[in-house]
Amino acid sequence: ELHRALLDAPDDAARSEALGHWLECRVNERRRLGLQAERVAAVAMCMLEGEREEMEPLARRHGVSRRQLERDFHHWLGVSPRTYSRLVRFQRAARALSDGVPVAHVAADQGYADQAHMTRAFREMAGVTPGQVRAAAFDGGALRRSLAGRVIVMPHLAPATG
């Protein structure tokens, strides 16, 4: 596009104007992409910090539609906000189980309807049950091995305290 504009320009002034226009468009595009990335990072951090807010209010708080927020998530993280939220919840639950928290407490604390709901989510997300995660946690590194290639296991997702 720039090459064509420079070739078509009748003189140096027109070429300078074409170059200036091209640069301005590039800077504006980078700014726009920067805002999208910042928005996704802010919403993702809210989710990581344990906020269980619906997408509509989160999107509104960031000045975009729910659909735009979904597109931004897909673009920057490769998953929908819902999938990201499910991953965060799964990883929090896996961490709590590996820390020895009883399964029923983990299910309730992480917003699962019951233990069966959490078990279905674990099987869907990682192909393991909460009991397998709990047992593997006490086998030095087995938790990470049992989940390898299925999900990203972050070292600690619990909200900061204190």
Side-chain angles (χ1 to χ4, degrees), residues 92-94 96-97 101-112 118 122 134:
R92 273 202 194 100
L97 289 168
V101 178
V103 176
H105 289 105
V106 173
D109 291 346
Q110 296 307 318
Y112 292 101
M118 186 170 76
F122 267 61
R134 175 184 220 94

Side-chain angles (χ1 to χ4, degrees), residues 46-83:
C46 287
M47 291 176 180
L48 283 172
E49 291 169 358
E51 288 185 32
R52 290 188 185 150
E53 192 172 342
E54 294 294 320
M55 281 300 110
E56 203 67 46
L58 269 173
R60 216 176 11 257
R61 188 168 22 155
H62 290 278
V64 295
S65 68
R66 178 190 55 78
R67 182 65 186 118
Q68 182 60 51
L69 185 60
E70 289 170 352
R71 283 190 295 267
D72 292 346
F73 258 76
H74 273 287
H75 176 77
W76 291 101
L77 299 179
V79 295
S80 69
R82 180 182 168 115
T83 299

Side-chain angles (χ1 to χ4, degrees), residues 103 112 114-124 128-130:
V103 176
Y112 292 101
D114 53 26
Q115 287 178 257
H117 178 214
M118 186 170 76
T119 298
R120 284 190 306 276
F122 267 61
R123 281 197 177 123
E124 182 182 318
V128 295
T129 66

Side-chain angles (χ1 to χ4, degrees), residues 34 52 62 100 104 115 125 133 143 161:
R52 290 188 185 150
H62 290 278
Q115 287 178 257
M125 297 289 280
V133 170
L143 174 62
T161 58

Side-chain angles (χ1 to χ4, degrees), residues 83-100:
T83 299
Y84 182 81
S85 178
R86 290 177 66 211
L87 280 168
V88 167
R89 180 167 68 162
F90 166 81
Q91 291 177 334
R92 273 202 194 100
R95 176 63 181 209
L97 289 168
S98 69
D99 286 345

